[in-house]
Amino acid sequence: EKFLLAALFYESSDRDCLVGVEIDEENFMARITLNDPHVIGRIIGREGRNVQLAAKLVGLEIQIEHNAAAPS
């Protein structure tokens, strides 16, 4: 989990928007939930490059979700 978060959150201030992390090792998937849509854009990156690179580094398919109900 630490390696996944380090790969995605290169700006430490963006971690404040983190609501939750779920890792399903059996299906090689990770779900990251954030409460700020602007941070989601930075994490995904242009044409999804940031999240694609992070997925290759950790060997997981990464899903990033916005939770509007979570406090900012």
Side-chain angles (χ1 to χ4, degrees):
E1 184 175 321
K2 286 183 183 181
F3 191 60
L4 172 64
L5 294 178
L8 288 173
F9 293 96
Y10 51 90
E11 290 186 31
S12 61
S13 62
D14 289 345
R15 289 189 188 201
D16 296 339
C17 299
L18 182 65
V19 175
V21 178
E22 297 176 38
I23 297 178
D24 180 355
E25 292 180 7
E26 284 185 23
N27 296 311
F28 302 100
M29 295 183 68
R31 177 174 293 141
I32 309 295
T33 307
L34 303 168
N35 64 2
D36 186 342
H38 297 92
V39 172
I40 292 173
R42 279 197 299 271
I43 289 174
I44 292 172
R46 187 177 307 211
E47 298 178 8
R49 290 184 182 146
N50 294 349
V51 77
Q52 289 171 0
L53 178 58
K56 285 183 181 181
L57 287 170
V58 298
L60 299 170
E61 178 183 327
I62 300 172
Q63 296 177 347
I64 299 178
E65 300 177 345
H66 174 242
N67 183 352
S72 296

